[in-house]
Amino acid sequence: MPKGKVNVVIGEGLQTTSVNASLNKEGVLTTRMSFNERQVDSDIKVTISWGGESEEMILDGQ
């Protein structure tokens, strides 16, 4: 489990949002992130990076 700070990158098509976030000691994201609600037609790629490691997931936009 990541400890402390992580970098969250959310991408859809050519648009990418990157946020440096903090986790509490239980590993819960404590940094607020907000996004505009809109219709998504393509998959959304989420990458979380910490301490030289990373994990990636794809959210189905359908």
Side-chain angles (χ1 to χ4, degrees), residues 12 15 35-44 60-62:
E12 181 218 341
Q15 292 185 328
F35 302 93
N36 294 330
E37 184 178 337
R38 62 189 181 87
Q39 182 68 33
V40 177
D41 295 329
S42 61
D43 291 347
I44 299 169
D60 184 359
Q62 302 302 319

Side-chain angles (χ1 to χ4, degrees), residues 20-47:
N20 289 317
S22 297
L23 302 177
N24 65 17
K25 64 182 179 178
E26 289 84 27
V28 176
L29 188 71
T30 59
T31 303
R32 284 198 119 150
M33 299 171 67
S34 64
F35 302 93
N36 294 330
E37 184 178 337
R38 62 189 181 87
Q39 182 68 33
V40 177
D41 295 329
S42 61
D43 291 347
I44 299 169
K45 179 176 157 183
V46 178
T47 306

